[in-house]
Amino acid sequence: MSLVLLGINHNTAPIEVRERLAIPSTRLADATRTLLHQPGIREGLILSTCNRVELLTLQDDAETQQPQTKADLLRFLHEYFAVPAIDIQPHLYEHRDREAVRHLFRVASSLDSMVVGEPQILGQVKESYTIAREVGAVSTHLESLLQRTFTVAKKIRTETQVGSSSVSIASVAADLARKIFGSLEGKTILLVGAGKMSELAARHLIEHGASSILVANRTESRAEKIAVAFASPSVHTEAIPFDDLYAQVPRADIVITSTGAPQKIFGYSHGQQFLHIRRNRPMFFIDIAVPRDVDPRMNEVEGCFVYDIDDLQQVAAANLADRSREAQAAETIVSREVEKYEQRLQSRDAVPAIKALQQKAEAIREAELLRSQSKLAALTPEQREAVEALTRSLTAKLLHPQLTALRESTRPKDEK
């Protein structure tokens, strides 16, 4: 078996590519089943977030000859998403076995995130794991790997300060809004879509002075629930019908949108209409969605400021300098844990060899006793038992150095 990971992320592909491959949570189970039906794949998991789409697969060795494996997984992406392979291939990365383990540990620990230390990614990995288990795509090998991944991520959170402050895409978006407006005192926020990221962004904006929250969601009860959660003596909240969205948008200074809609819901003409109604008072759109909810051409409307998930990376970069020392400590933990995981795999692989050696030695012992049966015919039962005990003891002593060497060669270093 070989471990193969293929993917794209915010470092290798612009949002224009990532949004074409994004998988909404409602389709993740179907996509995982389809992946599992590809030739040679024994187990599989798909991680799809705003910043990455990755396929983690366990494959038969006969099916993992490069570049065939990459071509097979590329074909899956092409066929499932109806995106030409030529549009995907330049942005792909591939990791195998040890490097796939390292990459997975780094992703779950938020060391490969746009904002190093952000807490959301571990939950997203766990959600993908849960779905993959439910559809039968994760069993023995990936189960062990993913459980170790969660342990490593927790270890890094516990032993380093890489995630000590509340830094996330949501908090970065709030910082950017404050820089654009100078002050958020008295500003009105409109949440379009009621996802966790939108809620986090709204909380950060309120902390910086925003005092009014409007919520629009296709499921009205969800919008009402969030509106109630944000309500306080200093914060006015209101759930607005989704059908009335375009009429209500001009009330907002800051629009945070993350709907998961397949098509953009705000275009260039909408921006013109909103600014006309607002008498050219500026609006700030934080588009956290992938695929995007806001047409980037709205930026061309004077007074409209549109930032998508990739734009937020520039603000996130400022956090990297402060976290570099802790990130390095976390990288050291990852390297150590990858080594330990490799050694555990080797130790597990040594078990069949140990059993085979023991079985072979026992077969030889029994064959020699059988060949000498005529010479031992006169022995009493007690004497026969003594011969049995003697030959077993000799066999065990002769095997001991070889078995000890096998076990020692595969035991993790920290246990030696």
Side-chain angles (χ1 to χ4, degrees), residues 149-306:
T149 298
F150 302 146
T151 299
V152 171
K154 182 179 179 181
K155 185 183 185 74
I156 287 173
R157 287 278 169 184
T158 302
E159 297 186 7
T160 75
Q161 298 297 311
V162 71
S164 58
S165 59
S166 180
V167 177
S168 64
I169 293 298
S171 65
V172 167
D175 288 341
L176 189 57
R178 187 170 52 170
K179 289 178 182 178
I180 287 174
F181 286 99
S183 170
L184 298 184
E185 294 293 334
K187 294 292 186 281
T188 295
I189 304 165
L190 168 62
L191 300 181
V192 184
K196 292 181 180 178
M197 192 78 78
S198 298
E199 290 186 54
L200 286 171
R203 291 190 188 283
H204 285 291
L205 290 165
I206 290 171
E207 288 174 5
H208 293 307
S211 59
S212 179
I213 302 287
L214 310 177
V215 186
N217 193 64
R218 293 187 188 279
T219 304
E220 193 167 348
S221 60
R222 175 67 177 155
E224 291 171 350
K225 183 178 179 181
I226 291 178
V228 169
F230 278 114
S232 74
S234 60
V235 179
H236 165 77
T237 64
E238 181 182 343
I240 61 175
F242 201 84
D243 291 341
D244 199 27
L245 175 64
Y246 294 107
Q248 298 290 336
V249 170
R251 296 172 58 189
D253 303 292
I254 303 166
V255 180
I256 306 173
T257 178
S258 181
T259 69
Q263 306 294 332
K264 294 177 176 60
I265 60 175
F266 295 119
Y268 178 85
S269 60
H270 291 122
Q272 292 178 311
Q273 295 169 15
F274 299 154
L275 265 293
H276 175 72
I277 294 171
R278 288 174 59 84
R279 298 182 180 180
N280 295 320
R281 285 182 295 118
M283 294 184 72
F284 177 36
F285 287 83
I286 303 172
D287 187 1
I288 303 174
V290 178
R292 288 171 292 181
D293 285 333
V294 183
D295 189 327
R297 292 180 301 167
M298 193 188 285
N299 251 326
E300 299 170 11
V301 178
E302 188 174 355
C304 277
F305 300 87
V306 181

Side-chain angles (χ1 to χ4, degrees), residues 84-118:
I86 195 172
D87 292 349
I88 306 172
Q89 191 162 12
H91 308 285
L92 286 174
Y93 48 83
E94 180 182 14
H95 300 296
R96 289 171 173 261
D97 298 319
R98 183 187 182 94
E99 289 309 308
V101 173
R102 178 184 299 278
H103 180 80
L104 184 60
F105 285 179
R106 294 187 74 251
V107 167
S109 303
S110 80
L111 295 176
D112 195 55
S113 295
M114 179 182 291
V115 181
V116 174
E118 57 90 6

Side-chain angles (χ1 to χ4, degrees), residues 5-27:
L5 184 146
L6 196 75
I8 64 169
N9 65 16
H10 58 284
N11 292 316
T12 68
I15 192 170
E16 291 83 359
V17 175
R18 300 200 312 275
E19 66 185 357
R20 298 171 73 185
L21 300 180
I23 306 173
S25 57
T26 54
R27 289 182 57 197

